[in-house]
Amino acid sequence: MATILDGRATSAAIKDDLKKKVEAMVAEGKNPPHLVAVMVGNNPASKAYVGNKIKFCGEVGFKSTLLQFETSITEAELLAEVDKLNNDPGVDGYIVQLPLPEHISEDKVIETVHPDKDVDGFHVQNVGKMVAGLPTYLPATPFGITKMMEHYGISASGKNVVVIGRSHIVGRPISILLSQSRPYGNGTVTVCHSRTQNIKEICAEADILVVAIGKANFVTADMVKEGAVVIDVGMNRVEDASRKRGYKLVGDVDYEAVEPKASYITPVPGGVGPMTIAGLMLNTYQSALNRK
Ligand code: BQF
């Protein structure tokens, strides 16, 4: 029987703390942190994610603004909107919800966000600072995972950490953070990806397994060492006729089979997802503290 790494409870604790800090800020006569979410089109998953971010803002006393644009917005028009946010002193931080439509370069948009307002931590300047171990905005999901580890007292120090996935948003940055000399870091990290051979054998050596590959039930029980910590970043919609929505959310791990072998495991939903939102909010609060 594994201990559940409860992302809802952990993010609620962070919420309580942030709420008090915002109240103190406002009592000093300062404006509360202000997060803007930019959304293009109406992808249902993106809508839900943006909704989660706006809701969290309300719960901690942040100001939030949702900017919605039609799928037909041109790249130049979107970049002009980003530029406006960069120059608006009333905006502490903002996110551009990904994915963007095909005709818009995500890289161009990310590099146009001013690094001081880049609360997603995706700008190359902030990625560089992260790699160098300098203070910066950490990408929300890896940041949230480290906060979850901190909350449960799980350190990577001296442990075999295996990360499945090398995306710029999750796999790559979490692999860097957990290998760095920092609290809860100092792990021996292996990154697996689509060209990895013997992935099952490598995973079976992991003391801490972080899975961010985007394939339902990718990690099976034979890939998990007895007593491992299993962190499932997957968010997959699979058909489920018994639900009124017609689908259910599952991670990248075969939860039922893996849970009995794990010492700690994140559920999906209610695991890493809420911690991602908490990470974004911590960055936004930090941005408000950094106001010039
Ligand atoms: C939960 C995301 C893939 C691609 C782009 C809480 C979220 C999800 C689940 C959420 C995600 C995933 C977000 C739960 C934000 C996490 O209770 O389990 C919150 O809103 N997320 C995103 O903004 O973009 C994504 C996943």
PDB file of all heavy atoms in Angstrom, residues 8 48-50 52-53 97-99 235 249 268-274 276-277, ligand 1:
ATOM      1  N   ARG A   8      -4.056  17.838  -4.281  1.00  0.00           N
ATOM      2  CA  ARG A   8      -5.105  18.803  -3.885  1.00  0.00           C
ATOM      3  C   ARG A   8      -4.813  19.344  -2.490  1.00  0.00           C
ATOM      4  O   ARG A   8      -4.872  20.550  -2.261  1.00  0.00           O
ATOM      5  CB  ARG A   8      -6.486  18.148  -3.932  1.00  0.00           C
ATOM      6  CG  ARG A   8      -6.939  17.861  -5.350  1.00  0.00           C
ATOM      7  CD  ARG A   8      -8.427  17.497  -5.452  1.00  0.00           C
ATOM      8  NE  ARG A   8      -8.731  17.189  -6.844  1.00  0.00           N
ATOM      9  CZ  ARG A   8      -9.163  15.997  -7.281  1.00  0.00           C
ATOM     10  NH1 ARG A   8      -9.386  15.007  -6.418  1.00  0.00           N
ATOM     11  NH2 ARG A   8      -9.386  15.805  -8.569  1.00  0.00           N
ATOM     12  N   ALA A  48     -10.354  24.362 -19.724  1.00  0.00           N
ATOM     13  CA  ALA A  48     -10.389  23.837 -18.357  1.00  0.00           C
ATOM     14  C   ALA A  48      -9.130  24.279 -17.603  1.00  0.00           C
ATOM     15  O   ALA A  48      -9.218  24.706 -16.445  1.00  0.00           O
ATOM     16  CB  ALA A  48     -10.490  22.314 -18.385  1.00  0.00           C
ATOM     17  N   TYR A  49      -7.966  24.203 -18.249  1.00  0.00           N
ATOM     18  CA  TYR A  49      -6.706  24.581 -17.595  1.00  0.00           C
ATOM     19  C   TYR A  49      -6.704  26.060 -17.224  1.00  0.00           C
ATOM     20  O   TYR A  49      -6.330  26.434 -16.104  1.00  0.00           O
ATOM     21  CB  TYR A  49      -5.505  24.263 -18.493  1.00  0.00           C
ATOM     22  CG  TYR A  49      -5.340  22.794 -18.837  1.00  0.00           C
ATOM     23  CD1 TYR A  49      -4.777  22.398 -20.057  1.00  0.00           C
ATOM     24  CD2 TYR A  49      -5.709  21.798 -17.938  1.00  0.00           C
ATOM     25  CE1 TYR A  49      -4.614  21.048 -20.369  1.00  0.00           C
ATOM     26  CE2 TYR A  49      -5.544  20.455 -18.253  1.00  0.00           C
ATOM     27  CZ  TYR A  49      -4.996  20.092 -19.478  1.00  0.00           C
ATOM     28  OH  TYR A  49      -4.825  18.768 -19.785  1.00  0.00           O
ATOM     29  N   VAL A  50      -7.129  26.897 -18.175  1.00  0.00           N
ATOM     30  CA  VAL A  50      -7.176  28.340 -17.905  1.00  0.00           C
ATOM     31  C   VAL A  50      -8.176  28.620 -16.781  1.00  0.00           C
ATOM     32  O   VAL A  50      -7.904  29.433 -15.884  1.00  0.00           O
ATOM     33  CB  VAL A  50      -7.533  29.112 -19.203  1.00  0.00           C
ATOM     34  CG1 VAL A  50      -7.914  30.546 -18.887  1.00  0.00           C
ATOM     35  CG2 VAL A  50      -6.360  29.080 -20.177  1.00  0.00           C
ATOM     36  N   ASN A  52      -8.919  26.678 -14.318  1.00  0.00           N
ATOM     37  CA  ASN A  52      -8.284  26.304 -13.046  1.00  0.00           C
ATOM     38  C   ASN A  52      -7.372  27.428 -12.531  1.00  0.00           C
ATOM     39  O   ASN A  52      -7.319  27.696 -11.328  1.00  0.00           O
ATOM     40  CB  ASN A  52      -7.447  25.036 -13.217  1.00  0.00           C
ATOM     41  CG  ASN A  52      -8.300  23.792 -13.434  1.00  0.00           C
ATOM     42  OD1 ASN A  52      -9.474  23.755 -13.061  1.00  0.00           O
ATOM     43  ND2 ASN A  52      -7.707  22.765 -14.034  1.00  0.00           N
ATOM     44  N   LYS A  53      -6.671  28.065 -13.447  1.00  0.00           N
ATOM     45  CA  LYS A  53      -5.729  29.127 -13.057  1.00  0.00           C
ATOM     46  C   LYS A  53      -6.469  30.357 -12.539  1.00  0.00           C
ATOM     47  O   LYS A  53      -6.098  30.933 -11.503  1.00  0.00           O
ATOM     48  CB  LYS A  53      -4.827  29.474 -14.257  1.00  0.00           C
ATOM     49  CG  LYS A  53      -3.926  28.298 -14.640  1.00  0.00           C
ATOM     50  CD  LYS A  53      -3.226  28.454 -15.987  1.00  0.00           C
ATOM     51  CE  LYS A  53      -2.607  27.101 -16.374  1.00  0.00           C
ATOM     52  NZ  LYS A  53      -1.875  27.139 -17.662  1.00  0.00           N
ATOM     53  N   GLN A  97      -1.598  30.344 -22.969  1.00  0.00           N
ATOM     54  CA  GLN A  97      -1.959  28.934 -22.853  1.00  0.00           C
ATOM     55  C   GLN A  97      -1.539  28.165 -24.103  1.00  0.00           C
ATOM     56  O   GLN A  97      -1.871  28.564 -25.220  1.00  0.00           O
ATOM     57  CB  GLN A  97      -3.474  28.801 -22.622  1.00  0.00           C
ATOM     58  CG  GLN A  97      -3.934  27.378 -22.390  1.00  0.00           C
ATOM     59  CD  GLN A  97      -3.373  26.775 -21.107  1.00  0.00           C
ATOM     60  OE1 GLN A  97      -3.326  27.416 -20.069  1.00  0.00           O
ATOM     61  NE2 GLN A  97      -2.914  25.546 -21.184  1.00  0.00           N
ATOM     62  N   LEU A  98      -0.826  27.078 -23.920  1.00  0.00           N
ATOM     63  CA  LEU A  98      -0.395  26.215 -25.019  1.00  0.00           C
ATOM     64  C   LEU A  98      -1.315  24.981 -25.054  1.00  0.00           C
ATOM     65  O   LEU A  98      -1.867  24.622 -24.024  1.00  0.00           O
ATOM     66  CB  LEU A  98       1.059  25.789 -24.813  1.00  0.00           C
ATOM     67  CG  LEU A  98       2.081  26.925 -24.703  1.00  0.00           C
ATOM     68  CD1 LEU A  98       3.491  26.353 -24.535  1.00  0.00           C
ATOM     69  CD2 LEU A  98       2.018  27.866 -25.899  1.00  0.00           C
ATOM     70  N   PRO A  99      -1.490  24.318 -26.183  1.00  0.00           N
ATOM     71  CA  PRO A  99      -0.872  24.635 -27.479  1.00  0.00           C
ATOM     72  C   PRO A  99      -1.558  25.785 -28.202  1.00  0.00           C
ATOM     73  O   PRO A  99      -2.721  26.067 -27.955  1.00  0.00           O
ATOM     74  CB  PRO A  99      -1.065  23.324 -28.254  1.00  0.00           C
ATOM     75  CG  PRO A  99      -2.299  22.707 -27.691  1.00  0.00           C
ATOM     76  CD  PRO A  99      -2.320  23.106 -26.240  1.00  0.00           C
ATOM     77  N   MET A 235      -1.700  13.273 -18.384  1.00  0.00           N
ATOM     78  CA  MET A 235      -3.076  13.821 -18.384  1.00  0.00           C
ATOM     79  C   MET A 235      -3.705  13.330 -19.664  1.00  0.00           C
ATOM     80  O   MET A 235      -3.683  14.017 -20.686  1.00  0.00           O
ATOM     81  CB  MET A 235      -3.003  15.363 -18.496  1.00  0.00           C
ATOM     82  CG  MET A 235      -2.894  16.111 -17.211  1.00  0.00           C
ATOM     83  SD  MET A 235      -4.534  16.276 -16.512  1.00  0.00           S
ATOM     84  CE  MET A 235      -4.232  15.522 -14.957  1.00  0.00           C
ATOM     85  N   LEU A 249     -10.061  10.981 -17.032  1.00  0.00           N
ATOM     86  CA  LEU A 249      -8.658  11.383 -17.060  1.00  0.00           C
ATOM     87  C   LEU A 249      -7.819  10.276 -16.440  1.00  0.00           C
ATOM     88  O   LEU A 249      -8.130   9.794 -15.351  1.00  0.00           O
ATOM     89  CB  LEU A 249      -8.460  12.657 -16.233  1.00  0.00           C
ATOM     90  CG  LEU A 249      -8.850  13.981 -16.874  1.00  0.00           C
ATOM     91  CD1 LEU A 249      -8.570  15.117 -15.896  1.00  0.00           C
ATOM     92  CD2 LEU A 249      -8.090  14.221 -18.173  1.00  0.00           C
ATOM     93  N   VAL A 268      -4.053  10.462 -10.584  1.00  0.00           N
ATOM     94  CA  VAL A 268      -4.505  11.352 -11.666  1.00  0.00           C
ATOM     95  C   VAL A 268      -6.012  11.144 -11.808  1.00  0.00           C
ATOM     96  O   VAL A 268      -6.436   9.997 -12.029  1.00  0.00           O
ATOM     97  CB  VAL A 268      -3.798  11.027 -13.003  1.00  0.00           C
ATOM     98  CG1 VAL A 268      -4.349  11.924 -14.121  1.00  0.00           C
ATOM     99  CG2 VAL A 268      -2.290  11.178 -12.886  1.00  0.00           C
ATOM    100  N   PRO A 269      -6.822  12.179 -11.654  1.00  0.00           N
ATOM    101  CA  PRO A 269      -6.452  13.549 -11.309  1.00  0.00           C
ATOM    102  C   PRO A 269      -6.119  13.698  -9.822  1.00  0.00           C
ATOM    103  O   PRO A 269      -6.176  12.731  -9.075  1.00  0.00           O
ATOM    104  CB  PRO A 269      -7.714  14.332 -11.665  1.00  0.00           C
ATOM    105  CG  PRO A 269      -8.838  13.355 -11.484  1.00  0.00           C
ATOM    106  CD  PRO A 269      -8.270  12.011 -11.865  1.00  0.00           C
ATOM    107  N   GLY A 270      -5.761  14.907  -9.420  1.00  0.00           N
ATOM    108  CA  GLY A 270      -5.540  15.217  -8.011  1.00  0.00           C
ATOM    109  C   GLY A 270      -4.119  15.016  -7.532  1.00  0.00           C
ATOM    110  O   GLY A 270      -3.854  15.047  -6.325  1.00  0.00           O
ATOM    111  N   GLY A 271      -3.181  14.813  -8.461  1.00  0.00           N
ATOM    112  CA  GLY A 271      -1.770  14.638  -8.087  1.00  0.00           C
ATOM    113  C   GLY A 271      -0.946  15.841  -8.520  1.00  0.00           C
ATOM    114  O   GLY A 271      -1.006  16.909  -7.895  1.00  0.00           O
ATOM    115  N   VAL A 272      -0.212  15.660  -9.615  1.00  0.00           N
ATOM    116  CA  VAL A 272       0.673  16.729 -10.102  1.00  0.00           C
ATOM    117  C   VAL A 272      -0.125  17.926 -10.639  1.00  0.00           C
ATOM    118  O   VAL A 272       0.317  19.072 -10.513  1.00  0.00           O
ATOM    119  CB  VAL A 272       1.636  16.174 -11.183  1.00  0.00           C
ATOM    120  CG1 VAL A 272       2.436  17.291 -11.835  1.00  0.00           C
ATOM    121  CG2 VAL A 272       2.584  15.134 -10.556  1.00  0.00           C
ATOM    122  N   GLY A 273      -1.306  17.681 -11.229  1.00  0.00           N
ATOM    123  CA  GLY A 273      -2.093  18.760 -11.851  1.00  0.00           C
ATOM    124  C   GLY A 273      -2.290  19.969 -10.943  1.00  0.00           C
ATOM    125  O   GLY A 273      -1.909  21.091 -11.308  1.00  0.00           O
ATOM    126  N   PRO A 274      -2.862  19.782  -9.741  1.00  0.00           N
ATOM    127  CA  PRO A 274      -3.046  20.930  -8.848  1.00  0.00           C
ATOM    128  C   PRO A 274      -1.718  21.582  -8.439  1.00  0.00           C
ATOM    129  O   PRO A 274      -1.672  22.789  -8.175  1.00  0.00           O
ATOM    130  CB  PRO A 274      -3.741  20.324  -7.624  1.00  0.00           C
ATOM    131  CG  PRO A 274      -4.370  19.060  -8.106  1.00  0.00           C
ATOM    132  CD  PRO A 274      -3.483  18.560  -9.202  1.00  0.00           C
ATOM    133  N   THR A 276       0.862  21.943 -10.392  1.00  0.00           N
ATOM    134  CA  THR A 276       1.239  22.805 -11.511  1.00  0.00           C
ATOM    135  C   THR A 276       0.636  24.195 -11.327  1.00  0.00           C
ATOM    136  O   THR A 276       1.313  25.217 -11.515  1.00  0.00           O
ATOM    137  CB  THR A 276       0.744  22.185 -12.839  1.00  0.00           C
ATOM    138  OG1 THR A 276       1.443  20.972 -13.052  1.00  0.00           O
ATOM    139  CG2 THR A 276       0.936  23.116 -14.025  1.00  0.00           C
ATOM    140  N   ILE A 277      -0.625  24.217 -10.943  1.00  0.00           N
ATOM    141  CA  ILE A 277      -1.288  25.505 -10.733  1.00  0.00           C
ATOM    142  C   ILE A 277      -0.632  26.228  -9.552  1.00  0.00           C
ATOM    143  O   ILE A 277      -0.360  27.431  -9.614  1.00  0.00           O
ATOM    144  CB  ILE A 277      -2.808  25.318 -10.488  1.00  0.00           C
ATOM    145  CG1 ILE A 277      -3.440  24.396 -11.540  1.00  0.00           C
ATOM    146  CG2 ILE A 277      -3.515  26.670 -10.453  1.00  0.00           C
ATOM    147  CD1 ILE A 277      -3.379  24.880 -12.961  1.00  0.00           C
TER     148      ILE A 277
HETATM  149  C1  BQF B   1      -6.042  17.667 -11.387  1.00  0.00           C
HETATM  150  C2  BQF B   1      -1.487  20.788 -19.246  1.00  0.00           C
HETATM  151  C3  BQF B   1      -0.922  19.185 -20.944  1.00  0.00           C
HETATM  152  C4  BQF B   1      -0.768  20.210 -21.880  1.00  0.00           C
HETATM  153  C5  BQF B   1      -0.951  21.532 -21.517  1.00  0.00           C
HETATM  154  C6  BQF B   1      -5.553  20.064 -11.822  1.00  0.00           C
HETATM  155  C7  BQF B   1      -4.776  20.795 -13.980  1.00  0.00           C
HETATM  156  C8  BQF B   1      -4.870  19.505 -14.443  1.00  0.00           C
HETATM  157  C9  BQF B   1      -5.291  18.487 -13.592  1.00  0.00           C
HETATM  158  C10 BQF B   1      -4.329  21.897 -14.854  1.00  0.00           C
HETATM  159  C11 BQF B   1      -1.893  21.149 -17.898  1.00  0.00           C
HETATM  160  C12 BQF B   1      -2.096  20.105 -16.844  1.00  0.00           C
HETATM  161  C13 BQF B   1      -2.151  22.495 -17.615  1.00  0.00           C
HETATM  162  C14 BQF B   1      -5.638  18.763 -12.302  1.00  0.00           C
HETATM  163  C15 BQF B   1      -2.631  22.953 -16.282  1.00  0.00           C
HETATM  164  C16 BQF B   1      -2.209  20.717 -15.469  1.00  0.00           C
HETATM  165  O1  BQF B   1      -6.841  17.895 -10.468  1.00  0.00           O
HETATM  166  O2  BQF B   1      -5.512  16.566 -11.558  1.00  0.00           O
HETATM  167  C17 BQF B   1      -5.119  21.070 -12.661  1.00  0.00           C
HETATM  168  O3  BQF B   1      -5.059  22.867 -14.994  1.00  0.00           O
HETATM  169  N1  BQF B   1      -3.106  21.841 -15.482  1.00  0.00           N
HETATM  170  C18 BQF B   1      -1.925  23.468 -18.637  1.00  0.00           C
HETATM  171  O4  BQF B   1      -2.111  24.660 -18.421  1.00  0.00           O
HETATM  172  O5  BQF B   1      -1.525  23.100 -19.851  1.00  0.00           O
HETATM  173  C19 BQF B   1      -1.325  21.808 -20.209  1.00  0.00           C
HETATM  174  C20 BQF B   1      -1.275  19.468 -19.636  1.00  0.00           C
END
